[in-house]
Amino acid sequence: MGGKSYYCDYCCCYMKNDLNVRKLHNAGASHTAAKGTYMRRFEDPRKILAAERSKRPCKRFFAGYCRFEQLCNFRHYTDKQMKQLEKIVSQLKKKASKKQRNPQKTKRNLPPSLQPLDLAKLKQTNWDLSWG
């Protein structure tokens, strides 16, 4: 194995580059929480909004620190953040409804090699051309 130390991108820490040390670190609660926090960035905002709406605000988090982080049963979003999340979800819904209304518009933006074949034009093609 190359190098003397291993860097964990989720936890922002260095450790000995040994298989057992990495396995122990990856199984730890702090690594699992840090990885969950990082992966939450890529979740669908609609899914996050639905989950967070059903929760009450976390008193510990807003007082300063909640040790449960992503595993907490309470909401860690402020009212301002919830409004921003609702705005993002409404924008996504508008984009989805526009795509459903104009399915032909997306085909026009494709390059010719990716556009669907027009059988009427294909039948009119002269296949008796000589190339040389």
Side-chain angles (χ1 to χ4, degrees):
M1 296 191 190
K4 295 181 180 179
S5 61
Y6 175 79
Y7 182 74
C8 177
D9 290 323
Y10 301 117
C11 302
C12 301
C13 67
Y14 288 94
M15 66 195 81
K16 185 178 175 185
N17 192 8
D18 181 52
L19 181 64
N20 292 329
V21 172
R22 287 194 317 251
K23 280 184 177 180
L24 185 66
H25 170 78
N26 290 344
S30 63
H31 175 80
T32 306
K35 185 178 177 183
T37 302
Y38 177 79
M39 297 306 264
R40 184 99 188 234
R41 296 179 196 175
F42 305 108
E43 279 187 23
D44 185 24
R46 291 173 279 219
K47 180 180 172 186
I48 295 172
L49 182 63
E52 295 298 323
R53 272 187 180 160
S54 63
K55 297 178 181 178
R56 290 183 290 152
C58 180
K59 293 177 185 175
R60 290 186 189 115
F61 181 77
F62 292 112
Y65 177 73
C66 176
R67 66 183 177 141
F68 299 109
E69 295 180 12
Q70 294 296 324
L71 303 174
C72 186
N73 293 327
F74 298 98
R75 183 173 71 213
H76 288 189
Y77 286 90
T78 63
D79 291 334
K80 185 178 179 182
Q81 290 172 328
M82 287 299 288
K83 287 179 183 176
Q84 287 175 339
L85 192 57
E86 288 170 358
K87 187 176 179 180
I88 291 169
V89 169
S90 67
Q91 289 173 349
L92 288 174
K93 287 181 181 178
K94 285 179 185 177
K95 283 183 182 179
S97 66
K98 283 183 182 179
K99 284 184 180 180
Q100 289 176 354
R101 279 189 245 144
N102 299 327
Q104 295 295 330
K105 197 172 193 177
T106 57
K107 291 180 183 177
R108 291 183 197 145
N109 296 337
L110 292 174
S113 61
L114 296 176
Q115 290 180 357
L117 293 175
D118 186 10
L119 295 177
K121 282 186 178 180
L122 195 60
K123 288 179 182 178
Q124 295 173 357
T125 305
N126 183 5
W127 296 104
D128 296 328
L129 295 174
S130 61
W131 288 94

